[in-house]
Structure formats: structure tokens, C-alpha cells
Amino acid sequence: MVWSMIRTGRSAAGAKLSLWAWAIAWPCLAAWGGLAQAEDEPEELTVTGSYIKQAADDAAMSVTTLDRDMLDLQGSPSMVDIFKNLSSSHGVIGEANSWYGTGQNLIESVANVNLRGLGASRTLVLLNGRRQVYVPARLTGGRFADVNAFPAIAIDRLEVLKEGAAVVYGSDAMGGVVNFLTRKDFEGFQVDAAHDYFDDAGDTTLSALWGGEVGAEAHAMVAVEHYRRQELNLSDRDWGLREYGDGGGWSGIGNPGAFVLYDGNNETRKVDPQCEAFGGSAAADESTCRFRYSLYDNLIEDQYHTRVFAELNGVFEGGMGYHLETLYAEAVIPDWYTTPAFPPAAWANSDRVQMIGSDHPAYGDVTGLLGTDGDSYGFVGRLVGNSGPGRTVRRDSETWRFAASVDDVIDLFEEAYEYDLGFTYSHSEGNVAQPGELIYRRFLAYRGFGGPNCGVYAVPDSTQLSGLKVHNPDSKTAGQGGCMYYNPHSDALRRSEQPGSPYRDADNPDYDPSKANSPELIAWINEKANLKSEADLYVFDATISGDVGENLGSFAAGYQFRRFEAEATPNFVSDLNANPCRVNIGQVPKAVRDAAGLTDQDFACDENQRTGMFTFIGGNKSYKVHQTTHAVFGEWAVPLGDFWEAQVAAHYEDHEESSTFDPKFALRWDAADWLTLRGVVQTTFRAPSVDDLNEDPVSTQQWIAGTYKPVEIIGNKNLDPEEALTYNFGMMMDFDSGASLALDYWRYDIDDSITALPYQSLINAYARGGSDKQAVQDLIFFAGGKTGANCTTNCTENDIERVQTPLVNGPTLKTSGLDFNLTGRHGMGAGTMAWGVGGTYLLEYDIDALTYNGTQLRGKIKGAGFYNEPFDFTVPPLPRLKARGFIGYHWGNFSLNGYLNYISEYDDRGRTDSYREIDSFVTLDLGFQWTIGDGGTTLIANIYNIADEDPPLAYFETSYDNLTHDSKGRRFKLTFRHDFSM
């Protein structure tokens, strides 16, 4: 691509245009391209962003190419590393617990690309120019394609189109396009082995590639790759675990916990005396013992990936070309790691489910502390905390793909035209498990009727504050005959797992083995919520292209049919359709129900209480949805004299619920031998997805009043498509010294953006009272199932059980910035030196004020230069400047290169203390490549983050911004490659 254009000595105008169009974000891409040798002129081909075949230096799009040679020199970085380093990308997932960035329904093995920070669902991912299925999980903000599903050894290059492209590709390409192109012409057999080592963990990759002729007119390529990641816990980094008040992940609910004596409307609370000795932090008013749950978070999960890709390209006897490809990818997290127990739901404290009566064996343990005299008292805490251990479950996903196409030349109206017909089917499925505790089992265990062999049941009772009562048909005795008590006092705990606590390496002197909780009891209270999700994408493409006529330029036109199908099935215990209430009728045998006169109605609950059987995590509802799309488009590139070229395009797309029409106009001017100017103006769009339209809620957990509480995202069938006006203006200058400078200004104005109402803004509006409260009160839920509309007591933020946030067409989003790139290449001694610096400067990312039901929920957001997650989870962190400098030297069979990576400082608008500013992050990488002998063997050694710089601290659970920075520290990577065909 661009490398060939630089090194063949083409005209200055051609060279400068190719650099300007192809190398904005990573200066090293253009610079290193000049180190190899090439002899042939580049052929006309289809460039990402247009279906008109043309030489790449005639393309009018802003495209960055990451070719295989360049990626090899960087040590074949992971997809997460690639897109975090890409200056035009913000908010990249792939290295953190899915709680922190995407919601809880997504497996942690996936990775995304998020161009311009507009959301991964607004960046279209293609494989060999054709669409790929989205992840199976239903996500707030929309689904995206998992770029970790592609075997790296099979990729020849990545083309990144950094402007809206819905005019050509349709919905989902509003922010841009990333096209992965495979090594279809590879000949021979290659094996790669690489290990990336960093303190306490590492990544290992084993891969093989074969390519060769199959018959006289066909060529095949097969790639196999196995990728293994080792677990990296937050405690493995000395900056990871923070003391209370200094960031990190702390909950107000722990174990040891606190105890409360109720006296009418008055409460007396006392913290367990062993709170801090176990590593907790006692509140000054003794209302709670805080718990550091970030000990049980992984920065990287233990995981392994298997990826297989194959393709066959050939020509039939009549001259028609064909292409077949297939992909299989599997990702497994065998032991996803999380906290020993979650906090109870808000109501579990306020309505006294966790009560210790005078008959409890451990009742007297806090008698003096609270001054109890036969009165029951409550426990404010979680089932298990500082004593651990953390819980693990298996998560996995699979992806399949099959694509077939034919192409040929046909004669129409005395002209020859090329056509292409293609069909693609891709499928993804995933299993996301989540451990949790069942409400009714916790209720029974506090009363001595816990355990799998007790035979005592919890049934609904609206007259009780807990909403439950004990049903004991066989008159069992609490704590006997297979029935067990749960003990919430610290005398049940022997050791702490919290680093730095006195009981980390010594026994709690108050520990009483006779009062310890049985592992069997804890296991019985725990249950696994599981959600299996599937997605299917069917695409049929038909395009035709050719010359319009003499001096009238070239055209392309096409039709696309798409059908996306998605479904999800929760396991029985987490299915809100089967088990909407705290108690499931199925847990009480029918004979017992009949003997007690219990009917189905006795187990029913109010609509507002239908949050499932778990104390903290939300349940799920099964769904099966689909969306069908028909699209037609056309584009025409026409020369306007010797120095001007224009391109016009239009796209019409019809969805089942909406339709859009979008035009595009581009103009390029070769103003002088040393100067080229260009501009693109277009409208682009994103149609509401099947998830946006699905009005069944999807439950997430968000930080409310000092702990995580359920927030339900509700779809909206009346959503309109997002519409955007985008434009780019750029110039490229060539200097006599051999250096080139590219500047590009870009802007997106997005109207009717599809967004969920921010939950904290809803809570704030409710708290303001008056008309603001009336506007949002039906979305706020309190204890006892009361919504804000009818809640009269205990209606503060602390008492909220859950919040519903419907999707709406929100305010206008405007973002703009500058891409810049300065590169040079010079002969030096026996070799060649290349250098460069480039990046993206974000000028603005503004979202207008948001109103709902006539009240303003939130004022205007200025997101550029801010860490936006604590303020609005729909806006990613947005440092203003991401840049990279590069210098490299190539001689003989050796290459030595260095990279300086820079991310500017940015502010946390939610903080006023020392965490207000998140510092800049500067790292230095070094790479060395040695091609041994005749080229059959290559060794590549890389050191990343040579100075072992820690990521800048952020006031967040992970103690750093996992969507922007790298937590791994200094890394050493060695790659061995052997090509048996050499």
C-alpha cells in the first residue's frame, strides 16, 4: 500500500497524497514503509471507504494502514494494545473486569475499537471487506464486533477509515471503519512462537500458517492460533489496592460488618469490634464496616483463545473468480474471579431480613456492644467478606463465520463492468455466569433453617417487614437435624485475606470453630445466575463498478441485504419470567403447598417488586429479536481537469422501523507539486438496533449511594435513527528535505443520539422535588416495591432499590479535532533511518443539555479533557492529546526502532481532591528484529514501557483508567518465527 508508493519513486504529488490519505495516526506506519524495497507499481484496488477501484494514492479518504511488517516490528501487539495506541481511538475494552466499562453481560476475553470515542457500536468492523457478527451480549450503548476473534497470524493489514462511512457501508459506520484484510497470497509454511512477560503474568502465542496452490487455478491459506493469557490480579500491582479514602474499590457493606438495634424509628448501630483487624474500615458513626472488594478483581483474567481461519481463492474455467473463507474462534475464561459475596439489596437491611434473634447461638456475642435485652438485632453486612475466598465461575464464547463471493466482468451497453456477489453468515454465542446469593435462603439461614437438608421453606408474608415467613411443615428445630444457622459475627472468622491486616498471617483470637459457618451452608445460599446469548448475521452483497465513459470518471453501485437475529436464555433461577419474585413457588414442594393451603397467588408479588430471587445481582428475561435491512448506494468519482477530482455518493437504507437517505461530496485539489488539499462533507446515520428497540429491561449494577444497586436499561420502540453531519478538511505538504507533513481537521455533529437517561441525573432530579421529582418519579423504586410516585416514607437516595433508565433520542453531540503527522526518511551510513511524530488533538466533545418530561436532567457536558465515567457512563474518558513519536534504523538483516507514547493529562470532574487531575502517561518502547541468514528464521525482541511507568492513578475501583491506560508495566516480548519455504 503506502509503503510501495513511497519507495518506488513515484511523482511528488502521488507520494504526498498517499502519505496524507493513509498515514495520519501512527507516524511509524509511513516512516518504516520506506525501509523495504519494491519494484512494481501499485495496482488499482478497492480501498476501504469506497467500492470504486483506484490506485490508493488517488483515494480521497482519511485512511490509516497498519501493515504486517509494521506490526511485526512492534512485536505483533495484541488488539487491545493496537487500538489503545491508535490516536483516533478512545475507550477501548479488553483488559479489566466487565463491570468496569461495558456492563456485566460481556465476557472479558473480547476487545473492541472505538473510533473518535463515539462508542464501539458506531465503528464498523469488516473482515476482508465484509461485515462480522456482533458480540452476543446485549450492551448499553450497542453491540460491536469482537476484534479478538481474528487470528493475528492470518492478518495482512488493517485499514482504519477515520471518518463517517454510512454513505458507503450503512448503519454502524457512523464513526468510521476498521477493515481486517487477510494474507490470501501467502506461500509456504510459517510457525510463530511468542511470549510476552511482565511481572506476575504473561501472554503466550503459538501459531502456524500455510498457503499454497490447490490445483491449477486456486490458492488456499490456513491459519491456526492458540493464545493464552495468565491472570493478573489488582493486588499484583503496588498501586492497585488503596486504603479507604484513597481510591480503589471499597464498599460500605462488608464482613465483619455492623449490627443495628431497632427501637421504633430509632436505630443504634455498632461496628463489629474486629472490623479493622480483618482489614475493614469502620465508619466514624459506626454505621458500617467498609470492605475493600478490589482485592477480588483481576486486571486480566486467566483465559485461552483458539482461532482457526481458512480461505480459498480461485478462478473457474470461464474466468469467474471465487472466494471462500471460514473462521472459528473460541475463548474460555475457566475461573472468572469475583468477590466472596455481594452486598444485600437495599431492602435487605431496611426491612430486617438479616436478623439475629435471641435463640441464635451467637446472639450473646454483641449483647454488651448494643445493650440488647432479648431483642432481635440486625446485621449490616455481606455473607462473606475479608476472610474470603473469592468465587469463580466459567465463562466462554464461540464465533463462526462463512463467506463466499464471486466476481467477474460483464459487458453492458458496449462497456465492460466488474461485478461482485457475496454472501456472509457469522454467528456468535456466549455464556456469562455470575455467582450470587438467594434472598429466601439467606432469610432462612439467619433463623437457623439453612442448608440443603433442612426441609424448611420461606414463603411470602406481606404482613412482615421482610415480606417472608418461615414455613416449617415438619416442625424442625432451628440449628438441628440438618438445619444450620448462619453466624455473621467475627468469631466465625479465622483469617483475613486482606493484605496488611493483622489476621492475614495470624489467627483471630476470638475465633470459635464451633461457631464457624459451614462451607456447605455458604454454598447452599449461593447460586449461579447464567445467561446464554446468541447472535446471527446474514449478509448478501451485490456491487457493480466501472468507468462511466470517456473522461467521465468511474462509478460503483450496490445493494445489500442484512438480517440480524439475537436471543438470550437465562437459567431457571435467574429467569425473571419464571422467577420474578423473592421466593419461587417451585422451591416449596406441591404436597407441602397443598397441606398448608398455599396457592399460586400467595407467591405472587407486586409489579414493582419483580426483581428476581437474588440479593444483589439482577435477573434476566429471555428474548428473541431480529432486524432486517435493505440498502442501496451509488458513488461516482469524476476528474475536473488536471488538478481537481470530485466524488459524490448517496445511500438509502430501509429498516423495519425506519429509513434514511444520506449524500456525500468529496473534493481533492493538487494545488502544487508540494501541496494537496482535500475536503469531505457528508451525512451519516445509525439506525436503532434490536437492543435499542427491545423494551424488556436489561439489568446492570451501578454505583448509587455508596454501593452498587440495580439499574435497568429499557429499550424504546419509538426511537428515531441517529443522524450526523460530518466533514473533514486536510492538507499534505512535501518538503525538499524528504519530510512530509499532514494535517487533517475533522468534525461530527450527531443529532438524535440514542442514549440511556443517566441514572444519577434521575436520582438528582427526584431529590430536587417539585416538578423535577414528578418528571422522573415513576423511574425510581424504593423498599416494599414502591416507586417514587407513591413512596411516602424512607424515600431518600440511600433507600433506593433500583432505577429504570429508558433509552431516548437525546441531545446533539458535537466532536472535532486535529490529526497530524510529520515523517521523514533518510539514508544514513550503511542503512536507512526513518522518523516521525503524529497523533490526534481533541478540540471538543460537547453534548447539549438533556431534558426529559419537560425537566432538565443534566446541563451541557464538555467531555474533552475529562475522565467522564463517574459523570456519565455513556461518555468515555477523553484525554485531549494522544501522540506517538518514532525513530528507526534498518541495515542489512537488522532493524532497530523506538517509540515514545504520550497521553495527555485530563481531569476527573467528579473530584475536588488530589485525584482531580489524572496525570499524563509517557512510555518508551524499544524493538529489535534480526532476519537470520537467508530469511527463513526471524527473531524479534521488544521491551515495552522501558522505565516501568505506573499508569496514572484515577479514583476508580481499578485505581487507573482501564479504558485508556496500560496496567501491565514493563514487558519483555520475544518472538521466534520460522518460514519453512525459505
Side-chain angles (χ1 to χ4, degrees):
M1 286 295 181
V2 62
W3 329 128
S4 299
M5 296 167 216
I6 299 169
R7 58 188 179 233
T8 53
R10 299 186 60 168
S11 68
K16 66 175 182 285
L17 180 59
S18 65
L19 277 172
W20 164 62
W22 289 81
I24 295 288
W26 274 5
C28 51
L29 300 176
W32 260 115
L35 300 183
Q37 297 296 320
E39 298 177 357
D40 299 329
E41 293 289 311
E43 62 179 339
E44 288 196 343
L45 42 76
T46 300
V47 178
T48 300
S50 174
Y51 283 98
I52 296 175
K53 287 195 173 183
Q54 56 195 305
D57 61 350
D58 293 328
M61 293 76 67
S62 177
V63 179
T64 294
T65 297
L66 288 66
D67 87 340
R68 179 149 204 92
D69 290 341
M70 191 61 247
L71 294 176
D72 283 345
L73 287 169
Q74 296 178 69
S76 300
S78 69
M79 292 300 173
V80 174
D81 288 336
I82 288 173
F83 292 115
K84 279 190 175 180
N85 282 330
L86 189 67
S87 64
S88 56
S89 182
H90 293 271
V92 177
I93 70 164
E95 287 184 343
N97 190 312
S98 63
W99 289 85
Y100 311 133
T102 61
Q104 294 85 58
N105 292 329
L106 187 67
I107 186 172
E108 283 76 4
S109 59
V110 307
N112 72 348
V113 54
N114 187 353
L115 294 178
R116 306 302 188 197
L118 293 172
S121 63
R122 295 187 178 113
T123 298
L124 179 63
V125 171
L126 306 174
L127 180 60
N128 288 323
R130 304 190 191 275
R131 286 175 175 259
Q132 171 69 1
V133 69
Y134 314 118
V135 294
R138 180 181 174 190
L139 303 175
T140 303
R143 307 184 192 213
F144 53 82
D146 176 18
V147 295
N148 265 349
F150 307 144
I153 195 172
I155 303 302
D156 182 59
R157 66 186 186 277
L158 283 70
E159 295 179 355
V160 182
L161 175 64
K162 302 176 296 179
E163 60 185 47
V167 171
V168 175
Y169 294 106
S171 188
D172 303 347
M174 173 177 280
V177 179
V178 177
N179 190 8
F180 291 78
L181 298 161
T182 56
R183 303 169 72 178
K184 63 179 181 179
D185 297 323
F186 179 79
E187 292 277 353
F189 179 57
Q190 174 187 314
V191 293
D192 284 16
H195 183 69
D196 187 351
Y197 167 80
F198 43 96
D199 283 349
D200 303 296
D203 302 337
T204 302
T205 306
L206 300 174
S207 52
L209 180 72
W210 174 84
E213 299 299 322
V214 181
E217 297 291 338
H219 185 278
M221 183 269 280
V222 180
V224 180
E225 186 169 87
H226 182 76
Y227 177 51
R228 181 65 186 262
R229 308 207 74 182
Q230 296 174 354
E231 177 185 88
L232 181 66
N233 187 260
L234 198 61
S235 64
D236 293 327
R237 294 292 176 261
D238 55 13
W239 47 263
L241 298 184
R242 317 296 295 178
E243 296 301 318
Y244 178 74
D246 192 31
W250 283 82
S251 170
I253 306 295
N255 187 309
F259 302 95
V260 54
L261 183 64
Y262 301 100
D263 180 15
N265 292 326
N266 299 318
E267 297 181 357
T268 301
R269 293 201 182 201
K270 294 292 183 179
V271 168
D272 190 298
Q274 296 283 18
C275 167
E276 295 187 347
F278 271 90
S281 175
D285 62 358
E286 298 201 68
S287 60
T288 186
C289 178
R290 305 181 187 94
F291 168 65
R292 182 170 58 189
Y293 57 83
S294 53
L295 172 64
Y296 301 97
D297 283 334
N298 282 332
L299 297 168
I300 298 173
E301 297 289 343
D302 181 32
Q303 57 191 270
Y304 53 87
H305 302 246
T306 301
R307 306 160 182 150
V308 181
F309 177 83
E311 66 177 297
L312 178 67
N313 298 281
V315 179
F316 292 117
E317 287 188 4
M320 176 185 290
Y322 64 87
H323 169 83
L324 299 172
E325 71 180 39
T326 185
L327 167 74
Y328 172 78
E330 177 189 46
V332 176
I333 298 176
D335 295 298
W336 181 77
Y337 190 52
T338 192
T339 56
F342 294 126
W347 64 264
N349 293 320
S350 61
D351 64 13
R352 309 175 193 181
V353 167
Q354 303 187 147
M355 298 297 294
I356 298 95
S358 59
D359 57 345
H360 196 292
Y363 175 79
D365 295 352
V366 294
T367 300
L369 187 69
L370 287 172
T372 57
D373 185 18
D375 296 322
S376 298
Y377 55 89
F379 175 64
V380 181
R382 60 181 72 204
L383 190 70
V384 185
N386 290 322
S387 62
R391 295 170 295 180
T392 60
V393 292
R394 177 187 170 97
R395 294 182 167 188
D396 53 60
S397 67
E398 291 184 352
T399 301
W400 302 296
R401 175 184 172 95
F402 172 76
S405 64
V406 294
D407 62 88
D408 203 353
V409 176
I410 58 173
D411 294 325
L412 294 173
F413 311 111
E414 299 182 351
E415 295 286 347
Y417 300 98
E418 295 185 29
Y419 72 84
D420 182 280
L421 302 175
F423 171 76
T424 304
Y425 166 70
S426 49
H427 168 88
S428 65
E429 62 182 56
N431 178 72
V432 176
Q434 180 79 275
E437 302 97 57
L438 293 177
I439 295 169
Y440 79 87
R441 291 183 181 176
R442 181 181 292 199
F443 170 84
L444 288 171
Y446 272 86
R447 289 150 180 83
F449 296 110
N453 301 314
C454 182
V456 176
Y457 309 98
V459 296
D461 185 351
S462 60
T463 66
Q464 302 296 316
L465 289 173
S466 64
L468 302 170
K469 69 178 179 181
V470 173
H471 182 63
N472 190 354
D474 298 325
S475 300
K476 293 287 186 70
T477 300
Q480 299 180 22
C483 298
M484 293 179 276
Y485 275 99
Y486 169 74
N487 180 9
H489 303 90
S490 59
D491 58 9
L493 310 176
R494 181 178 180 183
R495 293 280 183 96
S496 170
E497 291 191 341
Q498 290 288 347
S501 64
Y503 301 151
R504 171 87 174 192
D505 300 308
D507 284 356
N508 167 20
D510 294 338
Y511 172 65
D512 184 346
S514 68
K515 295 181 180 179
N517 292 303
S518 163
E520 182 184 27
L521 174 65
I522 300 299
W524 175 77
I525 297 173
N526 273 277
E527 187 58 83
K528 182 176 69 175
N530 189 76
L531 183 67
K532 182 178 181 180
S533 303
E534 298 184 53
D536 295 275
L537 180 64
Y538 305 83
V539 183
F540 172 75
D541 297 283
T543 61
I544 187 168
S545 62
D547 294 333
V548 177
E550 187 175 357
N551 298 322
L552 293 179
S554 303
F555 84 99
Y559 163 78
Q560 184 177 84
F561 166 85
R562 302 195 303 270
R563 182 177 175 87
F564 178 70
E565 300 176 351
E567 62 179 286
T569 306
N571 63 339
F572 178 76
V573 72
S574 65
D575 188 341
L576 291 178
N577 289 321
N579 296 298
C581 309
R582 299 175 186 175
V583 182
N584 169 31
I585 189 173
Q587 60 95 22
V588 182
K590 186 176 187 303
V592 175
R593 298 197 307 267
D594 292 344
L598 297 171
T599 66
D600 290 357
Q601 188 59 37
D602 292 316
F603 288 85
C605 59
D606 183 86
E607 177 69 29
N608 297 332
Q609 293 177 311
R610 296 179 183 177
T611 56
M613 299 173 65
F614 289 94
T615 64
F616 179 72
I617 60 174
N620 294 283
K621 290 186 176 181
S622 60
Y623 65 84
K624 189 172 184 178
V625 294
H626 70 270
Q627 188 175 61
T628 301
T629 304
H630 300 272
V632 292
F633 79 95
E635 52 180 331
W636 175 34
V638 56
L640 303 176
D642 294 333
F643 305 104
W644 293 83
E645 181 171 289
Q647 183 175 355
V648 294
H651 185 105
Y652 174 78
E653 188 160 299
D654 179 73
H655 295 257
E656 295 172 335
E657 302 81 12
S658 59
S659 61
T660 61
F661 175 81
D662 292 275
K664 171 184 175 180
F665 177 74
L667 187 65
R668 193 189 83 234
W669 177 31
D670 293 332
D673 287 343
W674 56 273
L675 176 66
T676 298
L677 304 175
R678 73 182 264 278
V680 177
V681 179
Q682 60 186 314
T683 64
T684 186
F685 70 95
R686 184 173 77 97
S689 69
V690 291
D691 297 327
D692 297 332
L693 302 169
N694 186 352
E695 295 184 335
D696 284 332
V698 57
S699 182
T700 67
Q701 300 289 328
Q702 301 298 336
W703 192 255
I704 298 174
T707 189
Y708 279 100
K709 297 181 181 180
V711 172
E712 296 176 342
I713 313 299
I714 309 295
N716 183 351
K717 292 182 179 179
N718 298 315
L719 291 171
D720 294 323
E722 298 178 339
E723 293 284 349
L725 173 66
T726 73
Y727 44 95
N728 296 53
F729 302 103
M731 67 176 182
M732 177 64 200
M733 293 182 289
D734 241 3
F735 302 103
D736 293 338
S737 64
S740 296
L741 173 66
L743 294 174
D744 207 50
Y745 170 80
W746 50 268
R747 183 180 179 93
Y748 296 74
D749 291 355
I750 302 176
D751 293 323
D752 292 326
S753 59
I754 298 173
T755 184
L757 296 179
Y759 64 92
Q760 190 60 56
S761 296
L762 293 172
I763 295 170
N764 294 342
Y766 182 84
R768 290 195 295 268
S771 60
D772 288 352
K773 175 181 177 179
Q774 292 178 2
V776 303
Q777 60 189 3
D778 289 337
L779 303 175
I780 311 292
F781 295 80
F782 294 91
K786 295 179 180 179
T787 67
N790 58 23
C791 187
T792 56
T793 60
N794 295 327
C795 303
T796 68
E797 180 178 355
N798 290 333
D799 301 304
I800 291 174
E801 281 195 33
R802 62 189 172 104
V803 179
Q804 287 188 340
T805 64
L807 291 174
V808 298
N809 285 114
T812 297
L813 186 161
K814 297 180 180 180
T815 183
S816 63
L818 293 171
D819 292 336
F820 60 92
N821 190 41
L822 177 64
T823 61
R825 171 178 171 267
H826 314 278
M828 179 179 291
T832 304
M833 184 183 75
W835 58 270
V837 60
T840 296
Y841 185 82
L842 187 62
L843 294 171
E844 63 177 332
Y845 195 108
D846 295 349
I847 304 177
D848 288 345
L850 174 62
T851 60
Y852 177 72
N853 281 349
T855 192
Q856 180 172 303
L857 292 183
R858 182 188 63 200
K860 184 174 183 178
I861 292 177
K862 288 187 172 294
F866 287 100
Y867 176 49
N868 295 289
E869 189 279 335
F871 185 70
D872 184 338
F873 61 83
T874 63
V875 184
L878 294 168
R880 284 193 180 271
L881 177 62
K882 291 179 69 176
R884 198 172 216 209
F886 164 82
I887 187 167
Y889 187 67
H890 173 81
W891 72 103
N893 288 347
F894 303 94
S895 297
L896 182 65
N897 52 95
Y899 307 88
L900 185 68
N901 311 288
Y902 177 78
I903 300 174
S904 65
E905 71 281 354
Y906 48 111
D907 287 344
D908 183 344
R909 70 174 79 240
R911 307 298 305 176
T912 57
D913 54 17
S914 60
Y915 279 89
R916 171 72 184 195
E917 182 175 291
I918 299 174
D919 294 335
S920 59
F921 191 39
V922 182
T923 58
L924 177 64
D925 305 335
L926 187 66
F928 175 74
Q929 180 172 302
W930 176 24
T931 303
I932 301 173
D934 60 2
T937 301
T938 302
L939 293 178
I940 306 172
N942 294 85
I943 306 177
Y944 307 100
N945 191 358
I946 292 174
D948 197 21
E949 294 289 338
D950 295 336
L953 292 176
Y955 201 89
F956 190 54
E957 280 95 331
T958 58
S959 300
Y960 86 110
D961 174 5
N962 59 272
L963 299 178
T964 304
H965 297 127
D966 186 346
S967 66
K968 296 187 288 292
R970 184 189 295 118
R971 299 155 52 199
F972 302 89
K973 185 172 184 179
L974 182 64
T975 303
F976 170 84
R977 172 173 301 146
H978 187 75
D979 190 336
F980 289 90
S981 63
M982 299 297 293

